[in-house]
Amino acid sequence: MSDVTTTTRPRTVLVTGASSGFGRLTVETLARRGHGVFAALRDTAGRNAGAAAELAELASAQGADLRVIELDVTDQASADRAVGAVLEVAGRLDVVVNNAGSIFPGPVEAFSAEEALRQLDVNVLGALRVNRAALPHLREQGHGVLVQVGSLSGRVTLPFSGLYSASKAALGSLTEAWHHELAPFGVESVVVEAASYPTSIGTNAVPPADTARTGVYGDTMTRFVTELVRRTAETAGDPQEVADALVELVEMPDGTRPVRTVVAPEEQRDAVRAAGRAAQEAARVVSADMGVAAFMAAATPSTVR
C-alpha cells in the first residue's frame, strides 16, 4: 500500500499499542495517507518516551495529523481519558484499532491464575475497556468501527502458547458478539487474524515464574521453541502486510467490511478459507436451531490475503 494521501474520507483513528510492531506501522501508514491518527502508548514519559518522540518527529517532519496519547489498556480510567481527549481535539472518533497485546509463553500448568489473568487483562480486557469507553460516542454519531488485532493462534493452538491462544480466541468471540449487538447502531466490529510475522512482541514475552514446573518440560519445550523460531525465520513475511490490511479496513466504505480478515502466507490460505466457510455455516445452523437467527447481523464473507 503506497504512502499517499487516500482518496477516501479521512478518518479519525485511535490505535492502541502503537510504540512498535503492527501498531507502529499502522499509525505511520495511516498518517501518511492523510488520516487523523492518535497513537496510544502507555508510559509515554518513561519506557515509551523514545517511541513517543519518534512519532512526534515524524508528524512534524511530514506535516502529518498524528498525535501521541497516553493510554494504558489495563486501566479503565486511562481508556476513558484517552477517548475523551480524542473527542476534545478531533470532535469525533471513527475507528478504534485494538492492537495492544503481549504474550506469555510456557506450559499452561506452570502459570498461576494471577499470571494468566495478566495475559487476558491486556489481550482481551484491554480491548473491552477501550471499546467500552468509545462505544457511547460511536452509537451517538451512528457510525464507527472497532478493529481488533487477533491472531491465527486464536484458531490453531500450539503447545506452550495456550494462554496467548486462549486470549486471541476470546478476542475473536468478543468481536463477533460486538458485530451482532452493535449492527443496529451502525457500528461495525471486525478482527484481523495475523499469522506469525517478525515483530517485537517476543522481546516482551513473560514466562511463568514457576521455573520448577517449567523445568519438567525441559528438552521438549526447548526443542519446540528452537524449531518454531527456525521455521518462523525461514518463512517470515513483512509485518507491513498486516498494517496494510488494517489500513484497508479503516478506509473501506461502511457496511462492506468483513468480520474476519486473515493475513497469512500463501500456503496457509486455502485451509483458512475452508475453516472460515465452515465456521460461518455452523453459526447459521446453530443460530437457526436455537431460534435466534433474527438477532444475527449479516456478515460480509471473511477475507484471506
Side-chain angles (χ1 to χ4, degrees), residues 201-218:
I201 189 171
T203 62
N204 297 316
V206 183
D210 191 340
T211 55
R213 294 213 185 200
T214 302
V216 171
Y217 294 83

Side-chain angles (χ1 to χ4, degrees), residues 26-49:
T26 300
V27 298
E28 292 181 358
T29 306
L30 285 169
R32 291 185 180 118
R33 291 177 64 79
H35 297 286
V37 186
F38 290 81
L41 289 67
R42 63 174 176 168
D43 196 15
T44 55
R47 60 178 294 180
N48 284 322

Side-chain angles (χ1 to χ4, degrees), residues 88-103:
E88 183 177 353
V89 172
R92 74 175 199 269
L93 174 58
D94 300 309
V95 185
V96 175
V97 178
N98 286 298
N99 169 73
S102 62
I103 184 168

